[in-house]
Amino acid sequence: MGAEGELRRTLFPLHHPLRDSDARNWPLPPAILGLQPAALVDHVARVDWSLLDRIPGDRGGSQQVAAEDLNHILSEVKAHILPFPNEIPPIIAIAGGSVANTIRGMAAGFGVSSGIIGACGDDEQGRLFINNMSFSGVDLSRLRMKNGSTGQCACLVDADGNRTMRPCLSSAVKLQADELKREDLRGAKWLILRYAFINLEQIKAAIRIAKQEGVSVSMDLASFEMVRDYRSHLIDLLESGSIDLCFANEDEAKELISRERKVDPEAALCFLAKHCKWAVVTLGPRGCIAKHGNEVVRVPAIGDTHAVDATGAGDLFASGFLYGLVKGLCLEDCCKVGSCSGGAVVRALGGEVRPENWQWMYKQMQTGGLLLPELKN
């Protein structure tokens, strides 16, 4: 059968609950499912300004690059490492992607049953993705393995903790829209999406199925470049009324309403809330604002630490916010939990929260009188 066949059997047991007509003895499906059509491995490093100045594209954003450009960036990284105390190794490779970060956070930090829908390659990067997500307790039964390569991304962090992303997905295997089945989403409570024009067919297919199955939909706006370059398609999605919850950072929010008379986070929040039940705009060290119905809240950031790396801050904010929604918390407390989890991930390099920083988060939640997760030992 070979290594690929063995791994596929691991991801898709012969008696999988999605295939068996009698699934009474199988565990319940994950409460939270994330759609990430192409698995991704992040290569995260702190680098000096000179490297960032030579990389095409806007600093601080996320822009697709070709395979040869990615390889060139990664080869240059070692010569531009920015030393940081107690940071070993200086470059880390970890399962990445916005949706994967959020799903991993919900499973590992909040004990909420979570799974991912997508595809990975039968290569070293694919195995790394699988091992990392599995170790964190993520359900991988909806992850397809395909012949080919797994996506990669250079995550370059400057001295101020700001990250510049250069993903390469041009040759990566991915889940196609016609491969999505109703069984993939059956029984879930939430579907998590990241807006991306290259995945628009998959996003629309997943939303259609989610609505058929009574699953709520959460969407992150991805990056200001994505909003700027494909705004009309994004507006169509929002105006369809199928997005229940939308997350945007300040740059994305301003880009979304850049053609309006008034451009600020509050105006963007109102714009999003016209189309979504819940709307959230994160403001970095200034916290966040959120709206649900007629209720509007503003919550400050949690903690006073300087961000080591902003990678995953918005993704982990979403983990905490969604945990609050699943547990029935009020809007303000959802934001507070999100601020705690977002604050936890920026305390170290990469989009995965380290154990000691989960403990920091639980302490912040306890101090704030927030509902602590019920975690298995």
Side-chain angles (χ1 to χ4, degrees):
M1 180 178 292
E4 178 196 346
E6 289 300 322
L7 188 50
R8 184 178 283 109
R9 287 187 60 182
T10 301
L11 297 178
F12 298 98
L14 294 179
H15 300 289
H16 191 275
L18 300 184
R19 293 175 177 169
D20 284 0
S21 58
D22 182 4
R24 289 172 297 180
N25 296 323
W26 287 92
L28 293 173
I32 311 291
L33 286 168
L35 175 69
Q36 185 167 312
L40 188 69
V41 169
D42 285 342
H43 301 275
V44 190
R46 290 172 60 90
V47 298
D48 60 43
W49 291 63
S50 62
L51 176 59
L52 293 173
D53 288 341
R54 297 206 309 271
I55 294 174
D58 295 323
R59 186 172 179 169
S62 177
Q63 183 171 309
Q64 291 272 343
V65 296
E68 55 269 24
D69 294 325
L70 176 71
N71 291 333
H72 175 71
I73 292 171
L74 294 178
S75 67
E76 289 285 305
V77 162
K78 293 181 180 179
H80 294 269
I81 289 292
L82 191 66
F84 194 77
N86 303 320
E87 198 164 82
I88 302 174
I91 306 174
I92 62 172
I94 189 173
S98 177
V99 171
N101 289 340
T102 299
I103 289 294
R104 181 175 53 208
M106 297 206 71
F110 291 101
V112 176
S113 59
S114 305
I116 195 159
I117 305 170
C120 68
D122 56 344
D123 58 357
E124 180 182 353
Q125 308 300 332
R127 288 186 286 274
L128 188 156
F129 184 90
I130 290 166
N131 290 336
N132 180 242
M133 297 297 282
S134 178
F135 180 81
S136 297
V138 175
D139 184 307
L140 299 179
S141 60
R142 294 158 182 80
L143 182 68
R144 282 78 161 171
M145 169 170 275
K146 298 186 176 184
N147 293 322
S149 60
T150 303
Q152 299 184 68
C153 178
C155 303
L156 309 176
V157 184
D158 67 18
D160 295 325
N162 300 313
R163 91 291 183 273
T164 297
M165 317 284 276
R166 291 296 178 263
C168 176
L169 295 167
S170 56
S171 60
V173 301
K174 66 189 299 184
L175 184 74
Q176 301 301 322
D178 60 5
E179 295 178 282
L180 283 163
K181 308 300 178 186
R182 291 187 65 164
E183 290 80 7
D184 285 328
L185 290 168
R186 186 160 294 159
K189 294 180 179 179
W190 280 92
L191 169 67
I192 299 174
L193 305 170
R194 179 179 190 267
Y195 179 62
F197 180 73
I198 61 172
N199 294 328
L200 195 55
E201 288 187 15
Q202 291 90 332
I203 289 171
K204 289 181 177 179
I207 290 174
R208 183 178 64 254
I209 293 173
K211 295 307 172 181
Q212 291 171 346
E213 292 294 325
V215 179
S216 298
V217 177
S218 169
M219 185 172 72
D220 181 273
L221 296 195
S223 71
F224 64 85
E225 295 103 327
M226 189 65 67
V227 177
R228 178 188 64 203
D229 297 341
Y230 304 103
R231 182 178 180 275
S232 62
H233 299 278
L234 173 58
I235 296 297
D236 288 344
L237 271 182
L238 292 171
E239 291 182 344
S240 73
S242 56
I243 308 300
D244 299 285
L245 165 62
C246 190
F247 294 102
N249 66 28
E250 187 169 4
D251 291 336
E252 295 155 2
K254 289 180 178 178
E255 193 65 54
L256 180 66
I257 59 167
S258 59
R259 301 173 190 175
E260 304 293 325
R261 186 178 59 172
K262 187 177 182 181
V263 179
D264 59 31
E266 290 76 13
L269 183 73
C270 290
F271 179 88
L272 288 170
K274 286 193 301 184
H275 306 295
C276 309
K277 294 178 183 177
W278 294 271
V280 183
V281 177
T282 56
L283 305 172
R286 304 197 318 280
C288 70
I289 51 177
K291 193 173 191 300
H292 174 53
N294 294 322
E295 182 181 10
V296 178
V297 300
R298 179 180 291 270
V299 172
I302 303 294
D304 56 2
T305 185
H306 172 72
V308 172
D309 175 13
T311 302
D315 307 333
L316 268 296
F317 179 96
S319 297
F321 190 94
L322 282 161
Y323 161 79
L325 285 185
V326 169
K327 294 297 183 180
L329 303 187
C330 67
L331 181 63
E332 183 175 2
D333 283 354
C334 287
C335 290
K336 287 180 178 178
V337 179
S339 291
C340 287
S341 51
V345 75
V346 303
R347 298 169 65 86
L349 198 64
E352 181 179 40
V353 180
R354 295 181 182 177
E356 64 269 24
N357 292 329
W358 282 130
Q359 295 304 315
W360 175 89
M361 185 193 76
Y362 301 142
K363 184 176 180 180
Q364 301 300 317
M365 291 178 64
Q366 187 173 34
T367 300
L370 299 169
L371 179 67
L372 290 171
E374 298 177 5
L375 299 173
K376 298 178 181 179
N377 295 329

